Amino acid sequence: MFRHRELAAKIAALTEDLEELRSEKNLLLASLAYSEEDAADQFPKDIAAMEQSLKRLEEQEQKYSAELDAALNEYAGLREQTKGFDPVQLYEAKQAIRPGKEQKAENRAQQVYGEKYNQLLMFDSKKAVSRMLHEDMERQAVRRLVRQAHKEQQTHYKKKSKEQER
């Protein structure tokens, strides 16, 4: 009699667990837009398609990663060539060119992504590029040079005005 009650309680608990699992399964299938009948046929096909997409994306990532490395190396080479130029003028020239180039890249990204284009992602990408190119350090160095030149100019002006007063 006791064993019968224990088994009945166990059966009730397992039945409840089974119903919860079926409910969870149906929710998952619904979120994936499958009916219970189609799931067995569609899952293997979709998994294969997703694996192919993943493989293609990994190949694209490698390709774009190599292109990025090449572009960064080219940038480093061009940066070496600019060592003889006035850093302030070079920085100002880059800042004048940058908005047009960024807009061109943004337009291209909008064309490629269409409705999936995300402006926040583009903003994050611009920040990432800025970090890769160490533009914050460059901006600080240019500001330091401008302040230093301004101080020297003020010092020179003060000396001149004192000499004129004598």
Side-chain angles (χ1 to χ4, degrees):
M1 191 63 129
F2 293 114
R3 182 83 177 130
H4 177 66
R5 285 185 188 163
E6 287 176 8
L7 289 175
K10 219 179 213 182
I11 289 172
L14 290 172
T15 304
E16 191 176 315
D17 289 345
L18 186 59
E19 286 301 316
E20 285 180 25
L21 288 173
R22 283 185 182 147
S23 164
E24 190 176 333
K25 174 186 164 190
N26 288 334
L27 284 173
L28 285 171
L29 291 173
S31 72
L32 296 171
Y34 291 119
S35 68
E36 198 167 336
E37 298 82 34
D38 295 341
D41 295 335
Q42 289 297 104
F43 269 145
K45 292 176 187 174
D46 287 349
I47 289 174
M50 286 182 198
E51 285 175 345
Q52 254 184 335
S53 294
L54 181 62
K55 189 175 186 179
R56 189 187 54 184
L57 288 173
E58 287 172 348
E59 289 171 359
Q60 285 180 336
E61 181 184 12
Q62 289 175 353
K63 174 187 164 194
Y64 292 136
S65 180
E67 286 181 20
L68 176 62
D69 290 342
L72 286 172
N73 288 335
E74 183 180 352
Y75 180 79
L78 292 173
R79 194 172 194 150
E80 285 296 317
Q81 292 177 8
T82 62
K83 292 226 181 201
F85 292 100
D86 178 28
V88 175
Q89 288 179 339
L90 183 62
Y91 179 79
E92 289 171 351
K94 285 197 293 189
Q95 294 306 309
I97 293 170
R98 185 179 199 115
K101 296 294 182 181
E102 282 182 349
Q103 187 61 47
K104 187 177 176 182
E106 197 167 334
N107 291 341
R108 177 74 176 119
Q110 284 176 340
Q111 286 176 349
V112 170
Y113 287 104
E115 290 180 13
K116 293 182 181 182
Y117 173 78
N118 185 339
Q119 197 153 3
L120 289 174
L121 186 59
M122 187 65 169
F123 179 76
D124 289 343
S125 298
K126 288 178 186 179
K127 287 271 194 196
V129 167
S130 182
R131 272 193 309 276
M132 280 187 241
L133 300 178
H134 308 290
E135 290 178 336
D136 286 338
M137 291 188 303
E138 182 181 16
R139 182 176 25 259
Q140 290 172 356
V142 166
R143 285 181 181 165
R144 197 175 324 110
L145 287 171
V146 168
R147 273 195 309 261
Q148 187 178 10
H150 186 66
K151 281 182 182 178
E152 288 174 4
Q153 194 175 30
Q154 284 181 338
T155 306
H156 180 69
Y157 179 72
K158 285 179 183 178
K159 285 181 182 178
K160 218 176 194 183
S161 63
K162 284 184 181 179
E163 287 175 5
Q164 288 178 355
E165 286 178 7
R166 290 183 191 173

